[in-house]
């Protein structure tokens, strides 16, 4: 059929594919829209027309078939393909070879040979019988097998087979096979329309995320046969590597075939496109690559793929047919790619001018950067999954399973990799976590101790693996189906998926440079929301700085005390009976903290550093075992019973709501005074030789009342004055509070009167708003989300309706009292893209997250800035 034979009608019911913008995805479907765009770009798309959703709906209801061409040039057939608005919705199977009749069959036999022509005819008869009348295709297959199986596959045998198929069709349907193009086309079109409206199709469509009433368009085209003499066949090509996004020539060519796509499990063998490369959909056997058979055809395909990428603004996979060396493009879909490749493709397109930098930034899902930042299990590797839990900290790691932190440290000293498995971790496990390559806990949620520390360390972690049983007595891990892994077994933690695997699957290394670095540079230029890091030690701070954070939004001072030498002094301070004894121990801790702060300030020169004063209840620093208590007693020169009694005295029924945070500063002021002195002395020391002075931000945790802040602020200000007088130097600093209680959020106006900043600790604020234990919620949170009780784990993604409203109230009331009030978020939500977007809309100044989530937050902040600017009509330059 010649292009001019397919005419554009006056309405949208039937529109020519060369009608450009008149072919719309919301009217004619995504396939028709894509073919029209490819036609407009000058690609050799076979001519055709698109039938609208309304037209197809009328066909399903028995309405008239629109006026269409009824004849085709000799040897040229038609195909009918579905075109839903979204390809993911599925649809009826495409029908090829429409238009074979008694009149044009001899010409087709002459063009491609009797055997191939009769094969096409047989496929048409069988497909038509199935789609229009529901006739089982096995009968036709049996005829072909019987007729051809007894002799050589010659022309007369194939003629006999198709003649028998026509008789079988008439017997099964009580009518002759239609012998006109229009009748064949109308029969298939109506069958597709009815199939789309079946109840089962509606249910399947909804399961794929589409609406039950979603529309179906149809595309009628000349069929580009891949069976002509010379180099002929079908295939697909993409010019980017699906794993890296780098330029490539990937795909497959099927000689003398009509289709490039085969059914799942098909063993159809194709040939390579280019010499020396492995085909994406099969293996080249003895045949040469397409590059050798038809170099001009492959060159044309490469050019078409590049032209499509430039015109469509995305790398594509082209489906093509070659007829005697002539290339036809029959469809295109986005090129296959993984998360890493997506970044390279978007950056390359922007650098070529095919898309803008803003479009490149918006095209990447921030969480997909995880694939770049951490080692991952190779997608092609076999996975022997033993159990699962919450994907608490991304990445993958392999090591020998150990059940104690001491074992992990001993193994690390000997150069062995381990996975630390615990019922749940506590402060005493931090050094073991540093030594291990990955962490698995049976209990815990997304903000449990193990999850938070692992994310800060960039350590793969799975928590809340409640389906597994940790049998410490027999030193083994047992699955629900009674499989056993003994201590010392080699296992792999996949913290990205939340899976535990046996063995050591192949890994893919992180990739932090190249396209990712360029994309993040664009993100930094686009965003107006700062991204800080939660870092507790100099080592953490270096990682955060390497990830280009805008400062530290949360430095938790308690994590500095878990070194064994410091922990002993810390415990002496806790066990002291009088303020004087406490001060004596604190005097020993002062130089230790000051040294850490000096190193952190030096690393973070020129950026803000927010230091949270001591927060956890003191009992967390005390040992639980009698042997350890006896060691402390010996070190302090006191009876062991006295240590035990003091530990019992400090124990609390509900320690997370007990004597912690600002309550320590009010009741034991010497603790915060010592910490403030260490901060100020360190800042002055670093600023003496720095052109980028440090301005420390001192943060008071767990505040609920104005008077709490006032009392602590008076003492800290007094320490600052004293240090400046002693050192003969001036120092700029600010003091603010960590908003973690609902009352603090509601009374933010009061707090703003004595605070330079409010930093929202959304881990605890979520816990207290919901009345949920952040450590225990993981036991049932998956069930809650699965049944729809919660749309998402509120410890994973910020609860906008509840906790978010508290943040908005606090922001409004705080800035009404203090217009210069700085607002930040320093909970783990700071690395969640949707939470970052909320903070940008709420007018926050910064978010803070674990160092390894800083790149994710930088991209999310850029996207939020761009989208808000687009909504408001502003232009944002990347």
């Amino acid at each position: 059929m010649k292009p001019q034979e397919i005419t554009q009608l006056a309405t949208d019911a039937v529109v020519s594919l060369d009608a450009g913008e008149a072919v719309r995805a919301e009217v004619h479907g995504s396939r028709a829209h894509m073919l029209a765009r490819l036609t407009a770009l000058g690609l050799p798309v076979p001519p055709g027309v698109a039938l609208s959703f309304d037209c197809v709906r009328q066909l399903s209801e028995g309405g008239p078939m629109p006026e269409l061409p009824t004849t085709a040039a000799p040897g040229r057939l038609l195909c009918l393909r579905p075109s839903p608005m979204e390809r993911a919705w599925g649809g009826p199977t495409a029908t090829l070879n429409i238009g074979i009749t008694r009149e044009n069959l001899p010409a087709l036999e002459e063009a491609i040979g009797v055997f191939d022509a009769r094969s096409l005819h047989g496929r048409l008869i069988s497909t038509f019988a199935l789609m229009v009348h529901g006739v089982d295709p096995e009968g036709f297959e049996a005829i072909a097998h019987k007729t051809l199986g007894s002799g050589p596959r010659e022309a007369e045998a194939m003629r006999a087979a198709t003649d028998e198929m026509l008789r079988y069709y008439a017997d099964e349907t009580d009518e002759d096979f239609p012998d006109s193009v229009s009748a064949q086309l109308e029969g298939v079109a109506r069958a597709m329309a009815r199939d789309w409206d079946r109840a089962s199709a509606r249910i399947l469509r909804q399961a794929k995320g589409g609406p039950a009433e979603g529309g179906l368009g149809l595309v009628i085209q000349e069929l580009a046969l891949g069976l002509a003499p010379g180099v002929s066949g079908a295939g697909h090509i993409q010019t980017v590597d699906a794993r890296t996004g780098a330029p490539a020539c990937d795909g497959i060519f099927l000689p003398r075939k009509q289709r490039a796509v085969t059914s799942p499990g098909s063993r159809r063998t194709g040939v390579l496109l280019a010499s020396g490369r492995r085909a994406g959909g099969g293996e080249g056997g003895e045949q040469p690559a397409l590059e050798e058979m038809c170099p001009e055809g492959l060159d044309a395909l490469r050019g078409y793929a590049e032209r499509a990428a430039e015109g469509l603004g995305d790398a594509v996979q082209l489906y093509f047919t070659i007829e005697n060396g002539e290339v036809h493009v029959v469809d295109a879909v986005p090129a296959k790619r993984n998360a890493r490749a997506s970044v390279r493709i978007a950056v390359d397109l922007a650098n070529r001018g095919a898309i803008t930098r803003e479009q490149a930034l918006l095209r990447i899902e921030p969480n997909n950067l995880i694939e770049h930042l951490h080692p991952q299990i190779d997608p092609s590797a076999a996975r022997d999954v033993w159990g699962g839990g919450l994907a608490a900290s991304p990445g993958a790691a392999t090591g020998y399973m150990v059940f104690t932190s001491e074992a992990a440290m001993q193994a690390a000293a000997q150069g062995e990799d381990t996975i630390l498995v615990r019922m749940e971790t506590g402060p005493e496990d931090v050094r073991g976590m540093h030594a291990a390559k990955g962490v698995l806990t049976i209990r815990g949620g997304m903000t449990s101790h193990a999850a938070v520390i692992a994310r800060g360390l960039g350590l793969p972690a799975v928590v809340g693996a409640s389906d597994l049983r940790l049998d410490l007595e027999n030193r083994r891990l047992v699955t629900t189906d009674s499989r056993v892994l003994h201590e010392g077994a080699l296992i792999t933690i996949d913290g990205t998926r939340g899976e535990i695997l046996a063995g050591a699957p192949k890994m893919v290394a992180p990739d932090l440079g190249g396209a990712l670095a360029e994309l993040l540079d664009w993100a930094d230029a686009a965003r107006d929301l700062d991204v800080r890091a939660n870092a507790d030690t100099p080592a953490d701070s270096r990682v955060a700085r390497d990830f280009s954070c805008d400062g530290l939004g949360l430095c938790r001072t308690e994590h500095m005390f878990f070194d064994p030498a410091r922990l002993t002094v810390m415990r002496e301070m806790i066990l002291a009976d009088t303020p004087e004894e406490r001060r004596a121990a604190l005097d020993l801790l002062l130089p230790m903290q000051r040294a850490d702060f000096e190193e952190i300030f030096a690393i973070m020169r020129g950026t803000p550093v927010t230091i949270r004063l001591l927060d956890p209840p003191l009992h967390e620093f005390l040992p639980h075992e009698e042997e350890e208590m006896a060691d402390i007693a010996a070190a302090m020169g006191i009876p062991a019973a006295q240590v035990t009694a003091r530990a019992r005295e400090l124990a609390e029924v509900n320690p997370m709501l007990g004597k912690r945070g600002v309550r320590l500063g009010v009741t034991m002021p010497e603790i915060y005074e010592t910490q403030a002195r260490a901060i100020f002395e360190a800042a002055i020391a670093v600023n003496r030789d720095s052109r980028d002075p440090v301005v420390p931000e001192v943060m008071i945790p767990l505040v609920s009342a104005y008077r709490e802040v006032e009392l602590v602020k008076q003492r800290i200000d007094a320490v600052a004055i004293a240090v400046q007088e002693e050192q003969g130097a001036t120092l700029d600093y600010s003091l603010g509070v960590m908003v973690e209680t609902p009352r603090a959020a509601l009374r933010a106006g009061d707090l703003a009167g004595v605070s330079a900043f409010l930093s929202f600790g959304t881990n605890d604020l979520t816990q207290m708003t919901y009345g949920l234990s952040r450590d225990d919620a993981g036991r049932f949170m998956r069930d809650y989300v699965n049944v729809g009780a919660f749309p998402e784990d509120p410890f994973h993604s910020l609860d906008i309706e509840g906790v978010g409203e508290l943040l908005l109230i606090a922001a409004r009331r705080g800035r009404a009292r203090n217009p210069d009030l700085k607002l930040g978020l320093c909970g783990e939500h700071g690395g969640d893209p949707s939470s970052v977007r909320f903070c940008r809309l709420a007018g926050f100044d910064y978010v803070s997250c674990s160092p390894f989530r800083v790149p994710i937050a930088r991209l999310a902040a850029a996207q939020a800035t761009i989208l808000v600017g687009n909504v408001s009509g502003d232009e944002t330059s990347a």
Side-chain angles (χ1 to χ4, degrees):
M1 184 166 50
K2 298 177 182 178
Q4 59 266 30
E5 290 182 290
I6 298 182
T7 59
Q8 179 181 351
L9 304 184
T11 68
D12 283 340
V14 182
V15 181
S16 173
L17 294 179
D18 62 9
E21 295 181 358
V23 185
R24 294 172 289 162
E26 67 273 16
V27 175
H28 305 96
S30 58
R31 186 191 300 272
H33 180 62
M34 173 59 75
L35 290 171
R37 296 182 71 185
L38 295 175
T39 300
L41 291 171
L43 271 64
V45 178
V49 296
L51 275 59
S52 70
F53 298 163
D54 288 340
C55 177
V56 175
R57 187 174 297 110
Q58 291 175 16
L59 288 175
S60 71
E61 297 169 353
M65 185 75 178
E67 181 181 349
L68 293 170
T70 58
T71 59
R76 305 304 297 183
L77 306 177
L78 299 178
C79 62
L80 185 60
R81 292 187 170 97
S83 181
M85 192 166 76
E86 297 288 345
R87 290 187 189 238
W89 298 353
T93 303
T95 300
L96 311 182
N97 309 319
I98 297 172
I100 299 178
T101 65
R102 290 190 181 91
E103 182 179 352
N104 64 22
L105 187 55
L108 183 63
E109 291 176 344
E110 184 176 348
I112 64 173
V114 174
F115 181 86
D116 285 334
R118 290 289 180 152
S119 293
L120 299 187
H121 195 196
R123 288 182 214 160
L124 173 63
I125 298 168
S126 176
T127 301
F128 191 93
L130 173 64
M131 293 194 67
V132 178
H133 300 287
V135 178
D136 193 322
E138 288 187 4
F140 296 99
E141 293 170 5
I143 292 172
H145 179 74
K146 178 186 65 176
T147 308
L148 299 177
S150 58
R153 298 172 66 177
E154 297 176 335
E156 291 306 316
M158 184 57 76
R159 282 196 177 104
T162 52
D163 289 344
E164 180 65 22
M165 287 180 186
L166 288 172
R167 290 191 292 271
Y168 181 74
Y169 176 93
D171 291 341
E172 292 292 316
T173 64
D174 293 326
E175 61 184 50
D176 290 335
F177 184 76
D179 196 42
S180 70
V181 179
S182 59
Q184 293 173 11
L185 194 58
E186 180 173 352
V188 175
R190 290 190 185 279
M192 284 189 174
R194 289 193 301 267
D195 182 73
W196 180 256
D197 273 343
R198 295 184 195 279
S200 58
R202 289 168 174 260
I203 294 171
L204 184 59
R205 190 153 60 246
Q206 288 177 301
K208 294 179 178 179
E213 301 300 325
L216 175 71
L218 294 175
V219 174
I220 304 170
Q221 281 181 284
E222 281 193 6
L223 179 62
L225 284 172
L227 302 171
V231 178
S232 297
H236 58 79
I237 181 176
Q238 66 179 54
T239 54
V240 292
D241 189 293
R243 296 165 299 176
T244 67
C249 183
D250 283 347
I252 192 171
F253 177 63
L254 304 174
R256 297 192 61 76
K257 300 295 181 184
Q258 287 187 292
R259 294 172 180 264
V261 181
T262 59
S263 59
S266 171
R267 300 189 175 217
R268 179 177 292 181
T269 301
V271 302
L272 304 174
L273 296 182
S275 301
R277 292 192 59 86
R278 187 176 181 84
E283 300 181 7
E286 299 297 328
Q287 302 183 70
L290 178 61
E291 185 177 46
E292 299 167 16
M293 291 190 289
C294 187
E296 64 280 3
L298 184 57
D299 287 344
L301 284 167
R302 285 181 171 132
Y304 296 147
E306 291 303 309
R307 191 189 308 176
E310 296 286 340
L312 300 175
D314 195 11
V316 296
Q317 185 175 89
L318 292 182
Y319 289 87
F320 65 88
T321 300
I322 296 180
E323 290 186 286
N324 196 19
E326 182 180 358
V327 175
H328 303 273
V329 175
V330 297
D331 205 355
V333 296
K336 293 180 180 178
R337 69 201 77 181
N338 62 16
R340 295 192 182 199
S342 295
V343 172
R344 171 72 183 268
I345 290 169
V347 169
D348 284 352
L349 287 170
N351 285 332
R352 286 155 50 188
I355 59 176
T356 66
R357 290 183 177 181
E358 286 187 357
Q359 289 172 323
L361 289 167
L362 293 174
R363 188 164 289 184
I364 304 302
E365 167 56 43
N367 278 328
N368 285 348
L369 297 189
I370 288 171
E371 300 288 339
H372 284 263
L373 303 176
H374 303 274
Q376 303 289 339
I377 296 175
D378 191 309
S380 64
R383 303 176 70 94
D384 183 7
V385 179
W386 275 65
L390 298 176
S393 183
T398 298
Y400 297 102
M401 189 166 61
V402 295
F403 294 155
T404 66
S405 291
E406 291 73 16
M409 290 185 284
Q410 290 173 6
Q414 297 171 8
E416 293 183 353
D417 294 340
T418 60
I419 302 298
L420 177 61
V421 181
R422 302 284 286 160
M423 189 62 70
E424 53 191 337
T425 64
E428 66 277 7
D429 291 309
V430 171
R431 296 187 71 231
M433 295 175 69
H434 273 276
K437 295 298 182 181
V439 177
L440 166 65
T441 66
I442 308 304
R443 300 186 191 137
M446 293 300 292
T447 54
S448 64
H449 178 273
V452 172
I453 300 302
R455 284 194 288 270
L457 297 175
L459 195 68
V462 176
V463 303
S466 55
D467 290 343
L468 299 176
R469 181 168 61 87
L470 181 57
D471 182 358
L472 290 175
E473 182 178 352
N474 295 301
R475 317 301 293 174
R476 61 183 189 171
L477 194 65
V478 184
T479 69
T480 52
D481 58 355
S482 299
R483 292 198 295 172
V484 175
L485 282 170
H486 291 279
E487 186 172 23
L490 190 66
I491 66 170
T492 297
I493 292 293
D494 187 345
T496 304
R497 289 194 186 183
E499 293 179 347
I500 304 101
L501 294 77
K506 183 181 177 182
M507 296 284 188
V508 178
D511 178 14
L512 305 180
L516 176 63
E518 190 169 4
L519 183 82
L520 290 174
D521 285 343
W522 298 347
D524 292 340
R527 62 184 170 90
D528 57 11
L529 178 71
D530 282 353
V531 176
R532 301 190 191 180
N534 302 339
D536 308 325
T537 65
D540 296 340
S541 301
R542 289 190 191 92
V543 173
R545 197 67 194 250
D546 288 343
F547 280 125
S548 301
C549 68
D550 298 312
L552 299 187
L554 177 62
C555 178
R556 292 161 288 210
T557 53
E558 58 270 14
H559 290 165
M560 299 175 177
F561 298 122
F562 291 118
D563 179 89
R566 298 183 182 189
L567 187 56
T568 299
V569 180
M570 184 69 174
R571 286 168 171 173
E572 291 179 8
M573 185 274 292
I574 295 169
L575 293 169
D577 288 324
T578 66
E580 291 74 23
E581 292 177 353
R582 225 175 352 259
R583 285 189 183 279
L586 287 166
D587 286 344
L588 296 176
L589 289 173
L590 174 62
M592 300 176 187
Q593 280 224 300
R594 183 173 57 226
D596 280 347
F597 290 139
E598 284 188 23
E599 194 171 356
I600 289 172
F601 289 153
I603 293 167
M604 302 306 300
R605 291 178 192 272
T607 66
V609 176
T610 304
I611 299 172
R612 184 180 75 182
L613 300 176
L614 194 65
D615 178 48
L618 294 180
H619 81 276
E620 285 196 4
F621 295 94
L622 296 180
H624 304 292
E625 304 295 332
E626 291 184 8
E627 184 178 345
E628 289 184 275
M629 288 192 178
D631 291 339
I632 292 177
M636 295 179 66
I638 60 176
Q642 187 176 336
V643 174
T644 303
R646 180 63 173 154
R648 189 180 302 116
E649 179 184 333
L650 289 172
E652 295 178 301
V653 174
N654 194 340
M656 295 309 293
L657 299 179
K659 189 176 178 180
R660 54 168 288 217
V662 70
R663 299 154 198 168
L664 291 172
V666 171
T667 60
M668 299 177 174
E670 55 274 12
I671 295 177
Y672 279 8
E673 288 173 359
T674 301
Q675 288 196 297
R677 174 171 284 276
I679 292 168
F680 297 145
E681 289 180 354
I684 289 174
V686 170
N687 287 348
R688 289 190 193 279
D689 62 350
S690 174
R691 288 173 292 181
D692 295 317
V694 172
V695 180
E697 300 177 350
V698 181
M699 184 161 66
I700 307 171
L702 207 70
V703 166
S704 294
Y706 168 85
R707 182 60 176 158
E708 289 176 317
V709 184
E710 191 175 47
L711 288 170
V712 174
K713 185 178 188 301
Q714 290 171 357
R715 292 181 177 275
I716 290 176
D717 287 343
V719 171
I721 293 171
V723 170
Q724 291 177 83
E725 289 178 351
E726 294 166 8
Q727 299 287 332
T730 59
L731 175 69
D732 289 331
Y733 71 96
S734 63
L735 186 141
V737 302
M738 193 170 185
V739 179
E740 302 168 85
T741 68
R743 191 182 194 280
L746 295 172
R747 303 306 301 170
D750 295 341
L751 301 179
V754 286
S755 303
F757 63 88
L758 300 181
S759 181
F760 294 88
T762 51
N763 296 349
D764 270 351
L765 185 57
T766 298
Q767 175 173 245
M768 296 188 191
T769 302
Y770 272 88
L772 277 173
S773 166
R774 51 190 276 196
D775 294 310
D776 298 323
R779 300 183 186 183
F780 60 85
M781 189 56 67
R782 277 184 292 179
D783 295 333
Y784 250 57
V785 173
N786 289 339
V787 301
F790 292 165
E792 177 61 274
D793 182 344
F795 292 110
H796 182 261
S797 186
L798 185 68
D799 164 36
I800 304 299
E801 295 177 346
V803 179
E805 186 171 359
L806 283 174
L807 266 60
L808 292 173
I809 291 171
R812 183 174 65 250
R813 293 179 179 178
R815 281 187 169 154
R817 177 70 179 274
N818 178 5
D820 296 325
L821 184 70
K822 189 181 296 183
L823 298 175
L825 184 152
C826 63
E828 283 299 307
H829 296 108
D832 170 56
S834 64
S835 305
V836 171
R837 288 191 286 271
F838 171 83
C839 290
R840 171 60 177 76
L841 288 168
F844 279 37
D845 297 288
Y846 69 88
V847 295
S848 188
C849 57
S850 59
F852 284 87
R853 292 191 70 81
V854 165
I856 294 170
R858 288 162 62 194
L859 178 57
Q863 292 179 346
T865 302
I866 294 168
L867 292 172
V868 171
N870 289 342
V871 169
S872 63
D874 298 333
E875 291 187 1
T876 306
S877 173

